[in-house]
């Protein structure tokens, strides 16, 4: 049987790591990519200890040549990429008066253009094979949630929704589905950062105001990504699913 492949950006920690482990459990060959080398190798080791198949490649999603090279390697080794998960992202706290062009550009280069680069690299071979799924990780900040001092992040995450819709329309006739997830408050290094996000105490304090009464775990998002990649979602494209425990529909 032909092996199914998935490539995930930012998969050394957090949501990307949980996604890598979830796909490995489903029998995928998992390309774990990240700028964090030690963490990426650890994910591969964990997957292999559990009997799965994974490969680590250091990958900075701002480098188009490097993104193309990783995708081409998978295509050469396995015939194609079945699933792309464009997950890598940063969320730096920058008050508007300190928001230089460089800070704006860096966040958009990673969070939005990084997703575009992954999709652009994988699309030609997916089109030839008439199959493939591309999933990008947005945020509640891209859909409905205002996050002050993070306007570059919010704009990038909102941009991902447009990217998903445009790609879904363009690639759908070739059998390629493009979808997204928009996580709420998920317990990862990003949300636990005191400097750039809520930090542990503020994060924990949010739990009671979430209808499902808890902070999300990376696995909560990974399982929805897995669903979107699966045949169970075969008639879903162009959509971004909120994975937020009901945070954004709460009243009062
Ligand atoms: P995380 O734990 O910080 O993981 C993100 C990973 O991406 C890290 O390994 C990070 O490395 C890596 N990365 C940063 N810049 C990169 C680049 N240029 N190329 C490749 N990898 C890069 O964050 P997470 O919470 O799991 O977030 C995963 C995705 O979900 C992000 O897109 C994030 O914006 C989104 N999200 C998260 C939450 C949440 O509550 N956690 C909510 C909504 C959306 P460094 O650690 O070195 O930066």
């Amino acid at each position: 049987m032909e092996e199914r492949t998935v490539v995930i950006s930012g998969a050394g920690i957090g949501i990307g790591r949980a996604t890598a482990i979830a796909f490995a459990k489903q029998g995928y060959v998992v390309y774990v990519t990240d700028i964090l080398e030690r963490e990426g190798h650890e994910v591969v080791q964990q997957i292999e200890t559990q009997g799965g198949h994974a490969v680590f490649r250091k990958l900075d999603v701002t480098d188009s040549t490097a993104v193309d090279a990783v995708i081409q390697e998978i295509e050469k080794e396995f015939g194609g990429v079945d699933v792309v998960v464009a997950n890598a992202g940063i969320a730096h706290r920058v008050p508007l008066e300190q928001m230089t062009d460089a800070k704006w550009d860096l966040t958009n280069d990673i969070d939005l253009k990084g997703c575009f680069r992954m999709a652009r690299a994988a699309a030609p071979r997916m089109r030839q094979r008439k199959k493939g799924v591309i999933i990008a990780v947005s945020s509640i900040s891209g859909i409905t949630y205002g996050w002050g001092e993070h306007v570059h992040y919010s704009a990038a995450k909102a941009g991902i929704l447009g990217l998903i819709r445009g790609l879904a329309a363009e690639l759908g006739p070739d059998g390629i589905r493009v979808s997204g997830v928009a996580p709420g408050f998920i317990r990862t290094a990003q949300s636990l950062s005191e400097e750039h996000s809520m930090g542990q105490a503020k994060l924990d304090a949010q739990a009671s105001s979430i209808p499902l009464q808890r902070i999300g775990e990376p696995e909560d998002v990974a399982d929805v990504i897995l669903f979107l990649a699966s045949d169970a979602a075969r008639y879903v494209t162009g959509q971004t699913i909120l994975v937020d425990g009901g945070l954004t529909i709460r009243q009062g």
Side-chain angles (χ1 to χ4, degrees):
M1 210 177 87
E2 197 183 70
E3 287 182 289
R4 292 173 300 168
T5 57
V6 58
V7 57
I8 307 164
S9 63
I13 58 176
I15 293 168
R17 174 180 180 276
T19 304
I21 291 166
F23 273 89
K25 283 184 183 151
Q26 294 299 313
Y28 280 81
V29 175
V30 183
Y31 270 71
V32 174
T33 74
D34 205 310
I35 51 173
L36 299 178
E37 287 186 74
R38 183 174 54 79
E39 290 83 350
H41 283 298
E42 281 169 6
V43 175
V44 167
Q45 204 172 26
Q46 183 176 343
I47 288 172
E48 289 185 339
T49 304
Q50 294 170 349
H53 184 173
V55 175
F56 174 71
R57 291 288 177 262
K58 186 175 182 188
L59 180 63
D60 182 336
V61 297
T62 64
D63 182 342
S64 293
T65 307
V67 171
D68 290 350
V70 169
I71 299 286
Q72 280 162 18
E73 179 191 332
I74 305 169
E75 291 171 348
K76 199 163 158 235
E77 288 286 316
F78 297 96
V81 178
D82 291 292
V83 182
V84 168
V85 182
N87 164 75
I90 58 170
H92 290 172
R93 179 183 304 285
V94 186
L96 191 56
E97 60 275 15
Q98 293 166 27
M99 184 67 77
T100 59
D101 284 10
K103 286 177 180 166
W104 174 276
D105 288 346
L106 176 67
T107 291
N108 277 273
D109 203 17
I110 297 171
D111 292 21
L112 175 56
K113 203 168 173 188
C115 296
F116 158 69
R117 289 187 182 95
M118 300 277 291
R120 179 178 59 182
R125 180 73 183 129
M126 285 183 170
R127 280 184 138 151
Q128 282 174 352
R129 299 172 89 206
K130 300 280 180 219
K131 65 174 182 177
V133 182
I134 297 166
I135 297 161
V137 180
S138 176
S139 164
I140 49 171
S141 307
I143 297 190
T144 175
Y145 193 82
W147 196 13
E149 302 185 338
H150 291 81
V151 296
H152 50 353
Y153 177 80
S154 302
K157 292 298 184 182
I160 288 175
L161 303 192
L163 179 74
I164 287 168
R165 286 192 290 264
L167 287 172
E170 190 166 341
L171 301 177
D174 286 316
I176 301 162
R177 295 191 291 105
V178 187
S179 299
V181 288
F185 297 154
I186 311 297
R187 194 179 304 280
T188 68
Q190 188 179 102
S191 58
L192 289 168
S193 166
E194 303 282 347
E195 182 186 0
H196 291 301
S197 187
M198 284 177 281
Q200 177 133 8
K202 280 192 193 143
L203 186 65
D204 288 341
Q206 295 291 332
S208 60
S209 63
I210 296 171
L212 291 183
Q213 298 284 290
R214 66 175 176 87
I215 300 303
E217 298 298 332
E219 291 74 16
D220 295 323
V221 183
D223 282 348
V224 178
I225 294 174
L226 202 58
F227 159 71
L228 287 170
S230 77
D231 201 44
R234 61 193 168 275
Y235 202 54
V236 177
T237 195
Q239 296 302 311
T240 299
I241 299 181
L242 279 153
V243 188
D244 68 351
L247 170 68
T248 53
I249 52 88
R250 74 185 165 188
Q251 295 189 333

